[in-house]
Amino acid sequence: MSLSTFAVSLGLTLLLEVPFAWVWGLRSRHDLTVAVLANGLTNPAVVLLHGLGAPVLPLEAAAVAVEALCYRACGESVRCPLLLALCTNGWSYSIGAALNLIF
């Protein structure tokens, strides 16, 4: 697994999830920074562990849980942190799966 795999995965995740969070209502620089940092925490771990053979569903569930905790603990005005984390991860996972089928 190369560094570019991690970079592309994280880049695409941020490109998909941060605008989704903005549409959800995260408008402050602080809350959007929390979104970036939460994904920076979870995405590399999920990519690494999946690359080592761990099944994707438990990894994604763990990412949702950790991101929801980050939103709840550090966000200033994040409505429904668990639902936000579930929706953003579902969105980016779905787009990523579609891109993997295409490419």
Side-chain angles (χ1 to χ4, degrees), residues 19-91:
F20 191 106
W22 188 85
V23 169
W24 187 271
L26 277 66
R27 296 291 195 274
S28 72
R29 179 174 288 173
H30 177 89
D31 284 342
L32 291 172
T33 300
V34 171
V36 170
L37 294 175
N39 279 285
L41 177 67
T42 59
N43 181 270
V46 169
V47 171
L48 175 64
L49 293 171
H50 184 60
L52 294 174
V56 73
L57 187 59
L59 294 173
E60 288 294 332
V64 166
V66 169
E67 289 176 25
L69 288 172
C70 290
Y71 288 132
R72 176 159 292 174
C74 301
E76 291 178 333
S77 59
V78 179
R79 293 176 292 114
C80 305
L82 180 59
L83 188 57
L84 171 60
L86 183 62
C87 290
T88 55
N89 279 276
W91 165 247

